[in-house]
Amino acid sequence: MPNGMIFFMGPLERNKFKSIRKELLSQATGTVLEIGAGTGINFPLYGTVEKVTAIEPSPYMIESSQSRREQAVVPIEMVQAGAENLPFAADTFDTVVATLVMCTIPNPEEAFQEMRRVCKPGGKILFFEHIKMENRFLAALQDWLTPAWKKICDGCCLNRNTLELLADTEIVELKKYYNGLFVLAVTENIK
């Protein structure tokens, strides 16, 4: 999660989001790629996976994740990289995870194609993201707030519709929270 968002989302993280993250990550299996790991908030929540490889473009965030890497019960490897050009071979990971990160990636379409490329056929792609709301008034408010929000919250786009990226996947589970502002999605990677 970007630095500016940590301030705004802290209360949610300590309460509801932790349980949502646990629920989502309980569905991860085998070898896992986590996109934009930030401060490593997910690391202590992985349970029975073999290994987590986490990418993060920011050296500061990689350094900030050290204490959570030490709390993890599974091996965590950090790789400095962006999501639009993943340094891994095709069909490498059993599970790919993205939590509250798609909003800050400059080209989310490229990033999602890369996620699908490195995920094995039939593997899982797990999301917990905020999205553009269906309510027209609230969606317009998101559009209006996004330019200022991006400056305050490290490039976060409040009005990004991440669900559109999932069109070519098999959505196994979809849950909405806070009137559809946040979604949990479990998808199967079909190639």
Side-chain angles (χ1 to χ4, degrees):
M1 183 176 359
N3 279 335
M5 283 183 66
I6 292 169
F7 174 79
F8 290 107
M9 305 284 268
L12 287 171
E13 280 295 346
R14 287 185 293 278
N15 297 309
K16 184 67 175 169
F17 284 7
K18 186 173 184 178
S19 65
I20 294 170
R21 287 176 186 274
K22 280 183 177 180
E23 177 186 347
L24 183 70
L25 298 177
S26 72
Q27 298 191 53
T29 59
T31 56
V32 176
L33 173 65
E34 183 170 329
I35 303 296
T39 62
I41 198 163
N42 289 334
F43 295 166
L45 304 177
Y46 285 104
T48 59
V49 302
E50 293 171 32
K51 176 186 176 183
V52 175
T53 301
I55 65 149
E56 172 57 50
S58 166
Y60 170 76
M61 290 293 207
I62 291 172
E63 180 68 29
S64 296
S65 73
Q66 180 61 37
S67 66
R68 288 190 173 122
R69 279 182 281 175
E70 293 167 1
Q71 295 172 25
V73 296
V74 299
I76 307 283
E77 176 189 7
M78 290 293 295
V79 176
Q80 186 176 354
E84 295 97 329
N85 189 16
L86 296 172
F88 309 107
D91 306 332
T92 298
F93 299 97
D94 298 299
T95 307
V96 178
V97 173
T99 61
L100 300 178
V101 68
M102 296 303 287
C103 58
T104 61
I105 295 173
N107 189 328
E109 293 83 8
E110 276 184 33
F112 187 64
Q113 288 309 312
E114 278 291 275
M115 292 165 67
R116 290 192 65 213
R117 181 185 67 79
V118 301
C119 185
K120 293 176 181 175
K124 294 178 187 171
I125 301 177
L126 309 177
F127 287 97
F128 173 51
E129 298 289 338
H130 67 79
I131 62 169
K132 188 168 187 172
M133 299 180 79
E134 292 176 9
N135 177 292
R136 289 190 321 175
F137 172 76
L138 295 174
L141 183 60
Q142 286 177 298
D143 289 339
W144 183 75
L145 287 171
T146 291
W149 188 262
K150 282 176 71 172
K151 291 177 184 173
I152 297 168
C153 295
D154 305 309
C156 173
C157 296
L158 282 174
N159 59 351
R160 192 165 278 171
N161 194 348
T162 301
L163 285 181
E164 290 177 354
L165 299 174
L166 307 182
D168 292 335
T169 64
E170 177 74 29
I171 297 177
V172 176
E173 180 180 357
L174 183 66
K175 292 184 179 180
K176 295 182 179 184
Y177 302 91
Y178 299 101
N179 293 317
L181 176 58
F182 293 93
V183 295
L184 173 151
V186 175
T187 70
E188 184 178 335
N189 192 31
I190 299 171
K191 293 188 179 184

